[in-house]
Amino acid sequence: TRITNIGADDTSALPKITHSIVRRKDMEGDIAQMGQFIGAGLAAIGSGAAAIGVGHVAGNFLAGALRNPSAAAGQTATLFIGIAFAEALGIFAFLVALLLMFAV
């Protein structure tokens, strides 16, 4: 076999491209969809943050109940209110993620 160097001006050995591979309109749609998915992923982080919040609420209640068992019964309602608020924020973040993916 013979090895030849192709100069900068010699394009005869290169394949000819007859149509554009990437069109601008297709690219704009892909970028918009990519933005939707990135936004939905960032909004879904709130669901994980809600789980962390519920863990903190329950952990702090348990720590307080172990320190003072007689006051634990009076704080049970506060425990459930804290868990409800944390879960509500997680559900709200999940709904925002769904709206970004399918409605925008």
Side-chain angles (χ1 to χ4, degrees), residues 8 34 59 62 67:
M34 181 181 63
L62 185 60
R67 282 190 208 143

Side-chain angles (χ1 to χ4, degrees), residues 1 17 24-26 31 57 69 75 80-81 83 87 94:
T1 61
I17 299 175
R24 185 176 179 144
K25 285 186 179 182
D26 293 338
I31 290 174
V57 169
Q75 296 297 320
F80 289 126
I81 289 172
I83 289 174
E87 284 297 321
F94 178 68

